[in-house]
Amino acid sequence: MLDLIERPRRNRRNPWTRAMMRETWLGPEHFIYPLFIHDGEGRQPIASMPGCDRLGLDALMHEVEGAVADGVGAVVLFPAVEEALKSSDGAESHNPEGLVPRAIRKLKARWPELVVITDVALDPYSSDGHDGIVSPDGRILNDETVAVLVQQALCQAEAGADVISPSDMMDGRVGAIRAGLDAAGFTDVQILAYTAKYASAFYGPFRDALDSAPRFGDKKTYQMDPANAREALREVALDEAEGADMIMVKPAGPFLDIIRLVRESTALPVAAYQVSGEYAMLKAAAQNGWLDEKKAVLEALTGIRRAGADVILTYYARQASRWLKETAR
Ligand code: PBG
C-alpha cells in the first residue's frame, strides 16, 4: 500500500459527495438564447448550423414558447435583412417598423417577463457587410457609425428591448448609447457590451445565417487580434467607464483565458458568447457520432462558467436547459 496522506479521490467517491464538492453550476438562468429572424413565413434552415433556423415571426413565437417552457428566460435577436433593405448607411437598422422592433413588441406583449436583448451593429443592414459605415476609400468610419448606432439603440429601446448589446467594436459607442438612452428616459435599459470581441474565424456560420459577411476586406480594424490579452483589459476599463452594465468576451471556447482575466479585473457581470462556429463544431461531431452531444455540450458550457462567465450566450440554451432538467447527479 502506498503511504499517502492525501487521497483526492476520497472526495469523488459517490454522486452525492461529488455534488457537494462541485464548484461550478450550470442552469437555465445562465443562458441567453440567440435567435435568427427573417421577414417571411416559417422556418428556414441554416446549412452550417443544423438545428438552428431563421424564424419568421410566427415561428419565433413558437420557438420562444418552447424555450420558456424549457426554462430559458433571455433571448437575443439577430435579423436576416432582405438585400433590398441593405444600404451603405444601414438606415434600416433604426426603422421603427423594421423586423427587430416588430419582433420585440410581439415578444414583450406575450411575455412581459422575458429578457429581450438586441444586437447593435450595422452588419445585417449594411450593403458592405461591415459593422460600420464605410468611407469611399474603404475605411470603417468610427464616429459617423456611432451616431447611427445610437439611433438603432433608441429604436430598439422604444420597441421595448430590455438590454441593448453593441457588438460593433466602434470606440466610444457604449458611452454614446448610454447618453442617448438616458436623454430619452430609458435609464433602466441595460447595456451588455461586446467588450473583448475578437476578429474570429468562428463567426463563419453566423454570417451564413444572416448573409452578413464583409463584401470586401475583413473586420480586423475594429475587432480585436486573437493574439492579444492585455488589450482586453483596456477595453474593459473603457466600457466600465462608459457605463456598461455587463461585459462580454467573444468567442468563448478558444478564449477561456480572456474570460478568466476579465472576470478578475472587473466587478461587473461577465458574459461569454459560445459562437456559431463553436456550435457548428459540436453539432457536426455529434451528427457524425464522434461525440456524445449532451455530455460534450454540458462540459463545454461548464468550462465557460468555470473560466468566470456569469452568463453564456449559446445556441444550445434550449437544449441544454432541457438536458439539465433530466440530468441526475
Ligand atoms: C455582428 C455579430 C457577429 C456575431 C454576433 N454579432 C458576427 C460578426 O461580428 O461578424 C457572431 C455570433 C456568432 O458567430 O455566433 N456584429
Side-chain angles (χ1 to χ4, degrees):
M1 213 181 1
L2 294 172
D3 179 21
L4 294 182
I5 294 170
E6 295 265 15
R7 287 184 184 266
R9 289 188 52 193
R10 278 197 286 267
N11 285 351
R12 303 176 199 138
R13 295 167 71 189
N14 57 47
W16 194 249
T17 302
R18 289 195 294 275
M20 286 196 294
M21 303 304 145
R22 191 154 300 138
E23 300 174 34
T24 307
W25 280 263
L26 210 51
E29 68 273 26
H30 300 132
F31 302 142
I32 295 171
Y33 192 19
L35 294 167
F36 299 109
I37 54 178
H38 73 102
D39 213 350
E41 296 286 309
R43 293 174 163 265
Q44 300 172 342
I46 300 161
S48 50
M49 300 182 73
C52 293
D53 298 327
R54 277 180 295 262
L55 307 167
L57 290 188
D58 289 338
L60 171 71
M61 297 301 277
H62 187 74
E63 180 63 27
V64 172
E65 171 139 47
V68 167
D70 288 331
V72 172
V75 298
V76 56
L77 303 175
F78 294 103
V81 178
E82 291 158 43
E83 192 60 38
L85 294 174
K86 298 192 185 197
S87 60
S88 53
D89 62 359
E92 180 63 14
S93 65
H94 50 87
N95 172 5
E97 293 311 315
L99 178 57
V100 167
R102 277 183 283 131
I104 300 169
R105 288 193 289 265
K106 238 173 134 98
L107 289 171
K108 292 302 285 186
R110 174 87 174 275
W111 297 284
E113 313 270 271
L114 182 74
V115 177
V116 175
I117 306 172
T118 48
D119 194 72
V120 169
L122 298 188
D123 50 326
Y125 306 95
S126 158
S127 44
D128 300 302
H130 276 285
D131 291 32
I133 295 172
V134 182
S135 72
D137 59 351
R139 286 173 303 121
I140 310 303
L141 300 173
N142 193 86
D143 301 15
E144 291 82 346
T145 299
V146 170
V148 183
L149 299 175
V150 172
Q151 287 181 272
Q152 185 182 10
L154 280 172
C155 170
Q156 296 169 346
E158 270 153 21
D162 298 289
V163 182
I164 301 293
S165 196
S167 70
D168 53 282
M169 290 300 279
M170 297 301 125
D171 292 331
R173 91 280 206 214
V174 171
I177 290 171
R178 184 71 271 160
L181 290 173
D182 290 352
F186 296 112
T187 50
D188 287 341
V189 172
Q190 292 145 276
I191 297 178
L192 165 56
Y194 285 68
T195 297
K197 175 172 179 178
Y198 288 88
S200 170
F202 290 90
Y203 308 150
F206 175 99
R207 294 175 188 173
D208 292 344
L210 299 188
D211 186 24
S212 64
R215 309 264 161 109
F216 69 90
D218 53 41
K219 298 193 176 186
K220 291 180 185 170
T221 67
Y222 43 109
Q223 298 180 349
M224 286 172 54
D225 182 342
N228 293 357
R230 274 184 283 123
E231 192 184 358
L233 297 179
R234 193 173 177 209
E235 292 284 2
V236 170
L238 287 169
D239 284 357
E240 270 191 327
E242 291 178 30
D245 297 286
M246 288 170 269
I247 296 291
M248 196 198 298
V249 174
K250 175 185 177 187
F255 294 85
L256 294 177
D257 59 323
I258 307 298
I259 297 174
R260 167 57 45 193
L261 189 68
V262 166
R263 166 69 293 149
E264 285 171 2
S265 77
T266 180
L268 291 175
V270 175
Y273 199 146
Q274 184 187 48
V275 299
S276 56
E278 299 177 74
Y279 174 86
M281 287 194 300
L282 287 161
K283 200 50 133 181
Q287 287 190 336
N288 276 294
W290 297 336
L291 281 177
D292 178 325
E293 185 174 29
K294 173 176 159 178
K295 287 182 182 159
V297 169
L298 293 180
E299 183 177 322
L301 293 171
T302 300
I304 295 166
R305 286 265 301 143
R306 192 194 59 241
D310 298 289
V311 291
I312 307 172
L313 292 86
T314 172
Y315 300 97
Y316 274 112
R318 184 174 172 191
Q319 249 180 307
S321 298
R322 225 179 305 136
W323 286 330
L324 288 166
K325 276 190 205 167
E326 68 199 31
T327 303
R329 307 214 174 271

